[in-house]
Amino acid sequence: MDHNGPMCKAWSKDLKLLTDQLQLQLKWNKQYIKFSVQNAKLQDLEINNQYGRTAIVSPGNSLGYLGGGLDKHIGEVFSPNKNHKDAERFILDGLKNGYRPPGTVKIITIPDEKLRRSVAFEKLQANSIIHAPTMRSPINLVKDLGESHAYRLIFDITWQILTEVDAFNKNLHIKGGDRIETIVLPGLGTGYGKIPYEMASKSMLAAIGIFTSHFTHEEKSVFALRYLGYKHQTLLPTPDTIPNTTFDLTKNDLVELFKFSIFNMKDFEVSSH
């Protein structure tokens, strides 16, 4: 979800590469993932949960304050009074020790009785905010970190969001409660961070594609390092499914990342349409 058309256009392009050109069938917990790119504001999103709830990613600062931009809007959506300070207090309490480094992720669930009459509860079926800071305080990430490191950060944050939601749902399977069925994921780092939409999309979709693919754990690890530009040979041998070519995340697209790998996988599912 993003109200910026170029961000949604970049997502649509990269999703088409993954699902149409590469024919990857992406699953999570044995169920096919349904992607919906929506060029809209939060209150206008179309959510169709069948069995669980919605969690909305807040990609702001390390301290959990919802003072501006998308974060403030998220706070307003989660408040019956449309006061972002209400949701902000839940986040600050949930973070406990305050500061959370960029790249860490915390799922904060708000009790239903505190959400009734809010847009989050009534329209979006949401009861959780995923605090996933992209920066310590508002800053141009590309200038601060450099291009490659900024793009790697977006990949790692997306990966960690998926990891935390996966653990959250597995824990609820044991304890009971509402699982997260839908993740509302905005463009990461594209506001104050000034990360180009195309690069944010590629990093986010690369993480999602690798995480939810049918690759083995070892293959997923090698593909992640391949995208991020790190050598894996000292840690793991190169599986036959991994292209033995150089990948440059600033220049190559997602087709180049996976290349011939899906055709070499023994039990990898390929779409028949």
Side-chain angles (χ1 to χ4, degrees), residues 18-260:
L18 287 180
T19 58
D20 292 355
Q21 190 164 342
L22 285 168
Q23 295 185 311
L24 300 185
Q25 295 216 5
L26 306 177
K27 287 185 175 182
W28 201 353
N29 295 321
K30 299 180 181 180
Q31 295 185 345
Y32 288 109
I33 298 175
K34 295 180 181 178
F35 293 97
S36 176
V37 177
Q38 298 189 40
N39 183 195
K41 294 184 177 181
L42 282 174
Q43 67 267 24
D44 299 321
L45 291 180
E46 295 182 9
I47 303 292
N48 297 298
N49 290 335
Q50 300 298 315
Y51 61 85
R53 303 294 288 273
T54 300
I56 299 176
V57 174
S58 171
N61 59 76
S62 288
L63 306 186
Y65 290 104
L66 306 177
L70 175 62
D71 287 321
K72 184 176 182 181
H73 189 42
I74 290 173
E76 292 169 348
V77 164
F78 272 87
S79 169
N81 304 313
K82 294 183 171 56
N83 184 346
H84 71 279
K85 289 290 185 180
D86 296 339
E88 183 178 86
R89 177 47 52 193
F90 279 106
I91 292 179
L92 296 178
D93 290 344
L95 296 182
K96 297 182 187 297
N97 295 318
Y99 172 77
R100 300 278 294 188
T104 59
V105 172
K106 174 75 172 178
I107 300 174
I108 298 165
T109 300
I110 301 174
D112 283 350
E113 59 268 22
K114 302 292 185 180
L115 290 174
R116 299 192 193 282
R117 300 188 312 281
S118 71
V119 173
F121 182 85
E122 300 294 344
K123 189 174 189 299
L124 305 179
Q125 303 168 45
N127 66 342
S128 295
I129 295 175
I130 301 177
H131 180 247
T134 55
M135 57 192 73
R136 292 171 177 83
S137 60
I139 196 170
N140 184 318
L141 290 171
V142 176
K143 285 185 178 180
D144 186 51
L145 301 177
E147 278 191 343
S148 295
H149 285 297
Y151 305 157
R152 289 172 183 145
L153 175 64
I154 300 309
F155 177 98
D156 287 341
I157 292 173
T158 306
W159 189 279
Q160 195 60 25
I161 289 169
L162 299 176
T163 299
E164 291 298 322
V165 171
D166 196 42
F168 181 89
N169 282 343
K170 287 177 179 176
N171 187 49
L172 285 183
H173 181 70
I174 297 172
K175 292 185 175 181
D178 293 320
R179 299 174 74 242
I180 294 174
E181 180 180 351
T182 297
I183 304 173
V184 176
L185 191 59
L188 300 178
T190 57
Y192 281 109
K194 302 300 181 186
I195 291 181
Y197 299 123
E198 294 79 8
M199 290 309 307
S201 173
K202 182 160 58 173
S203 290
M204 294 170 71
L205 266 297
I208 293 170
I210 297 169
F211 190 96
T212 62
S213 70
H214 290 160
F215 293 117
T216 65
H217 290 172
E218 290 78 10
E219 288 165 338
K220 289 181 180 183
S221 296
V222 173
F223 267 117
L225 290 181
R226 173 174 164 77
Y227 180 80
L228 296 169
Y230 288 92
K231 295 182 179 180
H232 64 273
Q233 287 82 354
T234 57
L235 301 172
L236 288 168
T238 304
D240 293 337
T241 51
I242 309 295
N244 190 24
T245 56
T246 302
F247 180 82
D248 186 337
L249 62 84
T250 64
K251 298 177 182 178
N252 301 132
D253 63 19
L254 295 180
V255 172
E256 186 69 24
L257 174 65
F258 294 102
K259 208 148 186 183
F260 61 83

